[in-house]
Amino acid sequence: EVQLVESGGGLEQPGRSLRLSCAASGFTFDDYAMHWVRQAPGKGLEWVSGISWNSVYIGYGDSVRGRFTISRDNAKSSLYLQINSLRTEDMALYYCVKDKRQSIVGATFDFWGQGTLVTVSA
Amino acid sequence: QSALTQPPSASGSPGQSVTISCTGTSSDVGDYNYVSWYQQYPGKAPKLIMFEVSKRPSGVPDRFSGSKSGNTASLTVSGLQAEDEADYFCSSYAGNDNVVFGTGTKVTVL
């Protein structure tokens, strides 16, 4: 059974940093691209970032490019998101998401975690 | 990249059909057959119900179907059931390792 368990969310002040983690199990982690998708309270889904199976190809949404960094450790079956220069508009539930493919091309999100909540407030 | 445009709401009576549109541009929906649809219940994570425009993952009822014409993709739910009441989001690959989601549609079963 595929499991994606996010952690690292919490309350942080604007301008500070956070590192989200996602522990994956139930599938061969290094065979698939992975993504972060966020959802602000009561709002729609927003693709944040994606990384190919071998970390060669990485993409970011316009609103986070330059502030967020995605990475993965295939040996630990883990996905990460480093969030710098937090803004109030970054407040959202962050989902760790598995792709059906090895690459970001196509971006088909077949399994989702339950999310970790990031709250940004002074 | 701008979000794909979906109607905020759609509704139908049990047994009827409802179709949700997802309009993008020639740089995303119009350029790639990589449109997916997700169903989300309140407080739950989204679930993949359609990919590559018209392919259904295992376990998704064949009441759900997908299509695309030009820059607009569509999801049709036939034989509407109470359990289909949920939010639906489309997404599209947009080239250069970018992805864009739709604005979301709340489907109500009357």
Side-chain angles (χ1 to χ4, degrees), chain B residues 16-32:
Chain B
Q16 290 186 330
S17 294
V18 64
T19 297
I20 305 166
S21 61
C22 169
T23 301
T25 70
S26 58
S27 297
D28 39 62
V29 175
D31 202 19
Y32 301 96

Side-chain angles (χ1 to χ4, degrees), chain A residues 39 47 60 62 101 109 113, chain B residues 1 38 40 45 52 97-99:
Chain A
Q39 187 169 34
W47 179 75
Y60 296 98
D62 287 346
R101 303 178 185 83
F109 310 133
Chain B
Q1 64 263 37
Y38 302 87
Q40 185 180 34
E52 292 177 19
D97 297 324
N98 281 319
V99 183

Side-chain angles (χ1 to χ4, degrees), chain A residues 35 97-101 103-111, chain B residues 34-36 38 48 50-52 91:
Chain A
H35 303 261
V97 185
K98 174 189 170 295
D99 202 306
K100 276 181 70 69
R101 303 178 185 83
S103 75
I104 303 173
V105 175
T108 302
F109 310 133
D110 61 353
F111 287 96
Chain B
Y34 290 130
V35 175
S36 300
Y38 302 87
L48 177 69
M50 197 72 59
F51 67 101
E52 292 177 19
S91 73

Side-chain angles (χ1 to χ4, degrees), chain A:
Chain A
E1 178 195 4
V2 172
Q3 288 200 340
L4 299 168
V5 180
E6 304 92 339
S7 61
L11 173 63
E12 193 51 86
Q13 296 178 336
R16 301 294 292 267
S17 297
L18 270 179
R19 190 192 195 209
L20 307 184
S21 299
C22 171
S25 61
F27 65 102
T28 305
F29 184 74
D30 54 11
D31 273 352
Y32 299 96
M34 297 292 295
H35 303 261
W36 290 97
V37 175
R38 70 184 181 183
Q39 187 169 34
K43 301 298 184 182
L45 301 173
E46 181 186 10
W47 179 75
V48 173
S49 182
I51 184 168
S52 64
W53 68 279
N54 57 2
S55 302
V56 170
Y57 299 98
I58 288 175
Y60 296 98
D62 287 346
S63 62
V64 308
R65 190 175 293 114
R67 297 188 300 120
F68 289 20
T69 302
I70 192 172
S71 62
R72 64 189 294 163
D73 184 336
N74 287 345
K76 295 182 178 179
S77 296
S78 293
L79 178 72
Y80 306 99
L81 186 68
Q82 178 68 39
I83 302 175
N84 296 330
S85 304
L86 268 167
R87 302 172 179 170
T88 54
E89 55 263 37
D90 294 325
M91 187 159 62
L93 186 65
Y94 284 73
Y95 291 104
C96 170
V97 185
K98 174 189 170 295
D99 202 306
K100 276 181 70 69
R101 303 178 185 83
Q102 288 189 328
S103 75
I104 303 173
V105 175
T108 302
F109 310 133
D110 61 353
F111 287 96
W112 298 62
Q114 290 305 303
T116 186
L117 184 63
V118 171
T119 303
V120 184
S121 175

Side-chain angles (χ1 to χ4, degrees), chain B residues 24-79:
Chain B
T25 70
S26 58
S27 297
D28 39 62
V29 175
D31 202 19
Y32 301 96
N33 286 324
Y34 290 130
V35 175
S36 300
W37 290 89
Y38 302 87
Q39 177 190 61
Q40 185 180 34
Y41 293 114
K44 300 296 186 182
K47 172 190 173 185
L48 177 69
I49 59 170
M50 197 72 59
F51 67 101
E52 292 177 19
V53 177
S54 59
K55 296 180 180 178
R56 276 180 290 106
S58 173
V60 174
D62 59 7
R63 302 185 293 103
F64 292 88
S65 61
S67 63
K68 190 185 89 167
S69 178
N71 297 339
T72 299
S74 299
L75 175 75
T76 298
V77 186
S78 305

